[in-house]
Amino acid sequence: MLLYCVHALCTFDERIYEFASYFFLMQIFKTTLFYASVYGFSTTVAGISFSTFVGSLVDTTPRLKAVQSFLIAQKMSTVLGCVGFWILLTWFDPSSSTATMTFYQGYTLFALLVLVSATLKLSALGWSISIERDWIVCMCQSNSDLLTKINVNMKRIDLVCKLTSPLVFAALLAQLDAGYCSLTIAIWCLFSFCVELWLVRRIWHSSSLLSAPRSDIFYHGDSRKNTASPLLGSLEVYGTGDISEQQGRKGPMSLLRVLQSFRDYRYHTVFLASMSYAIIYINMMSISGTMIGYLQWRGLSAGSIAFLKGICTASELLGTVLMPVLTRYVGLVRGGVWSIWLEVATLMPVLFSIYTDRLPIQVVIFVGMALSRVGVWSFDLVVTQIMQEHIENGSNAGVINGWHYSMMNVFELGQFILTMVWSNPEAYYVPCTLSFGCVVAGALVYSAYVVQIRGHLFHYQRIASTSFLVENGEDDPDIEGWSASPSTSPGEEDLDSGVVSPAGSRSRARSQATE
């Protein structure tokens, strides 16, 4: 319960600042998406450049110290950002030469806001890796059912915060002007910081598992396969011991170590699943980022945008319900297939409708966006659990997760590149079309991951045999020893993870060949 409380407070602060910042930017630069795109672009570049380093810090820093440091950096960045927006909203007008602040002062402060936003993004990333990929995994002790339950609850908290934070901001904006709204957010963040710091220490002292040292095994070497390691491209051990003993020897990652860490990521079993999730981050047909600025340019009020975002967020909550159901009936891996292709199917009418401004078509756009979020969040939960179950909680776990976040940032960067090129809001349909193509590509990559893990995407033999029996009026028996239960699949499948053992698939193939 304490973990859920601190996660809720931290996520709410992050979400309300994220929503408010793009709204503030469009209040300052009213006629273009360019500055909002530069803001998002620069922040994402920072995530790409340093997220692997942040993951390495998680690996090499004691758990409590890491979480507290990331929390302090996150809150201080938010407060400074809010104060900066208050100054710009109050004294800077780029369309007027008589404003209190000069152009040089205004754009210099904008550049500082970009730096603050980059710091906030990296500190939030460090917090996320520490809590979701380290603390939770440690406390669950390989209990897959408990891990699924906590993951789903954490995602539901994310979505509730995503739903309520824009509504709270809209309510503030109805009572105060934009500048004072920014100061109110800063004051709230200072208060929540004190509560979160206390909760973190309570969680730490209540769990003896968190105070135990991480397993600290470092790998290097050739591409020989070692089944004891989750990394396909690593074999030899060259250092062991407690993390605190290794800190003196481990500094910032050199270029050679970065390349080696990417090689480990590339040959890890979760690579295709991770990449498929990262690719869909380029999707622009959701109520976030530059879309907020675009809708504001179209004349929608903050309350209307918050309401539309709330509809999408409410539908995302359905994704947290859908994922456990899919996992129970078709397994974890196949549940991801259903989820990501659901997103593709529901975005198609959005793409077809975004070229027109007629009201009924706009309704179709928002309904399609809302339905697509069900698939997105179900797929998010699937990929999260795949990575948690197949990345060992050792020395390289933070680095692999860091590369995962880096790839997400690379494709998120594509959003802002597209809107920087097509910065005129009237041409917004062009980046939306291109981003849809990337979502389809992400679905294809995940389908390739399913084939890699399970050996096939669909039960072709079962489908063909069933069709033959139906045509001849016969019953559908258990074909080739496969169970008729919807939760089973060919091969020696772990029902919790949905992953087929390659050894099981090979042994079955050999036995069938012998017969």
Side-chain angles (χ1 to χ4, degrees):
M1 183 59 68
L2 295 177
L3 180 66
Y4 294 150
C5 289
V6 70
H7 182 64
L9 287 171
C10 192
T11 304
F12 179 83
D13 293 352
E14 181 183 354
R15 291 295 187 181
I16 196 170
Y17 181 80
E18 177 187 10
F19 182 85
S21 61
Y22 284 97
F23 186 88
F24 293 152
L25 287 170
M26 286 304 295
Q27 286 283 94
I28 299 166
F29 308 102
K30 298 179 174 63
T31 59
T32 179
L33 296 172
F34 180 78
Y35 293 99
S37 301
V38 169
Y39 178 83
F41 176 87
S42 303
T43 302
T44 308
V45 166
I48 295 171
S49 303
F50 299 106
S51 59
T52 303
F53 173 67
V54 170
S56 180
L57 285 179
V58 174
D59 289 337
T60 58
T61 307
R63 285 192 173 103
L64 182 60
K65 182 180 178 181
V67 167
Q68 289 178 329
S69 300
F70 289 131
L71 181 62
I72 292 171
Q74 188 176 3
K75 297 305 176 183
M76 294 303 101
S77 299
T78 304
V79 171
L80 291 175
C82 288
V83 173
F85 277 121
W86 170 66
I87 294 173
L88 286 178
L89 289 164
T90 305
W91 290 294
F92 180 63
D93 184 357
S95 62
S96 173
S97 59
T98 60
T100 304
M101 292 185 70
T102 64
F103 288 120
Y104 174 78
Q105 292 171 332
Y107 287 109
T108 299
L109 183 54
F110 171 73
L112 292 176
L113 283 175
V114 170
L115 293 177
V116 167
S117 177
T119 304
L120 174 60
K121 186 178 184 71
L122 292 173
S123 57
L125 170 62
W127 168 272
S128 179
I129 293 177
S130 296
I131 296 296
E132 297 182 16
R133 311 296 171 120
D134 185 16
W135 284 38
I136 291 176
V137 174
C138 177
M139 290 188 291
C140 287
Q141 289 289 287
S142 302
N143 187 331
S144 182
D145 291 336
L146 178 60
L147 192 61
T148 299
K149 178 181 178 180
I150 293 179
N151 285 338
V152 169
N153 289 336
M154 295 286 276
K155 290 299 180 183
R156 286 173 178 168
I157 291 171
D158 288 344
L159 291 172
V160 170
C161 293
K162 193 176 179 181
L163 170 65
T164 56
S165 57
L167 297 175
V168 171
F169 176 74
L172 286 175
L173 201 60
Q175 303 297 323
L176 305 169
D177 63 30
Y180 287 112
C181 283
S182 184
L183 287 181
T184 303
I185 295 172
I187 294 171
W188 163 255
C189 286
L190 288 174
F191 169 76
S192 66
F193 166 68
C194 299
V195 178
E196 290 168 44
L197 198 59
W198 176 76
L199 289 172
V200 164
R201 296 193 67 86
R202 283 288 305 275
I203 296 169
W204 171 263
H205 291 298
S206 65
S207 175
S208 59
L209 295 172
L210 292 175
S211 58
R214 299 185 185 96
S215 59
D216 191 25
I217 302 175
F218 306 105
Y219 298 90
H220 71 90
D222 55 30
S223 59
R224 290 174 292 170
K225 187 174 180 180
N226 181 5
T227 56
S229 169
L231 303 177
L232 299 182
S234 55
L235 176 65
E236 301 176 26
V237 178
Y238 67 85
T240 59
D242 189 274
I243 279 292
S244 59
E245 298 174 1
Q246 299 288 343
Q247 282 181 311
R249 292 187 278 131
K250 293 188 71 176
M253 297 185 72
S254 65
L255 177 60
L256 182 61
R257 290 179 60 199
V258 169
L259 293 176
Q260 176 63 37
S261 68
F262 180 77
R263 181 176 177 275
D264 290 340
Y265 172 67
R266 168 63 182 85
Y267 289 103
H268 199 283
T269 54
V270 302
F271 173 71
L272 290 179
S274 172
M275 283 298 298
S276 65
Y277 182 69
I279 290 171
I280 67 174
Y281 257 66
I282 202 172
N283 177 31
M284 302 183 66
M285 290 178 282
S286 62
I287 311 298
S288 62
T290 54
M291 175 64 81
I292 295 174
Y294 170 73
L295 294 175
Q296 190 176 350
W297 173 82
R298 291 290 301 270
L300 276 71
S301 65
S304 299
I305 298 173
F307 175 74
L308 293 172
K309 189 173 181 67
I311 292 176
C312 290
T313 303
S315 66
E316 289 171 355
L317 287 169
L318 296 178
T320 65
V321 177
L322 176 64
M323 181 269 187
V325 174
L326 287 175
T327 300
R328 183 167 65 252
Y329 283 97
V330 301
L332 184 65
V333 173
R334 283 183 291 174
V337 174
W338 285 89
S339 298
I340 193 168
W341 283 105
L342 173 63
E343 179 189 5
V344 172
T346 50
L347 283 179
M348 288 180 66
V350 179
L351 179 65
F352 294 148
S353 304
I354 206 165
Y355 287 88
T356 180
D357 295 332
R358 290 178 295 175
L359 180 59
I361 301 301
Q362 296 300 319
V363 173
V364 172
I365 290 176
F366 294 123
V367 170
M369 285 183 183
L371 292 177
S372 72
R373 306 313 293 174
V374 178
V376 169
W377 278 77
S378 177
F379 185 64
D380 175 278
L381 285 168
V382 167
V383 173
T384 297
Q385 186 160 338
I386 286 174
M387 296 190 67
Q388 287 173 329
E389 292 185 354
H390 296 280
I391 298 177
E392 288 186 356
N393 191 20
S395 64
N396 281 344
V399 173
I400 298 297
N401 283 303
W403 274 112
H404 173 66
Y405 282 104
S406 290
M407 293 298 103
M408 289 161 53
N409 288 326
V410 166
F411 288 96
E412 185 181 4
L413 191 65
Q415 291 188 30
F416 304 112
I417 293 175
L418 291 175
T419 49
M420 287 171 67
V421 175
W422 289 278
S423 59
N424 187 344
E426 294 179 356
Y428 196 70
Y429 64 90
V430 177
C432 286
T433 303
L434 296 174
S435 70
F436 176 77
C438 291
V439 173
V440 175
L444 293 174
V445 170
Y446 186 80
S447 299
Y449 168 75
V450 175
V451 173
Q452 179 190 62
I453 294 297
R454 304 181 66 244
H456 60 274
L457 187 60
F458 301 110
H459 300 322
Y460 298 108
Q461 292 180 341
R462 183 175 177 84
I463 294 173
S465 301
T466 302
S467 300
F468 174 79
L469 293 171
V470 170
E471 291 176 0
N472 290 273
E474 301 179 23
D475 295 332
D476 182 12
D478 184 21
I479 298 171
E480 296 184 1
W482 294 13
S483 171
S485 171
S487 63
T488 59
S489 59
E492 296 175 357
E493 183 174 26
D494 180 358
L495 295 180
D496 290 331
S497 66
V499 178
V500 176
S501 167
S505 299
R506 288 193 298 269
S507 63
R508 177 173 281 101
R510 286 195 298 268
S511 64
Q512 290 176 354
T514 303
E515 294 174 359

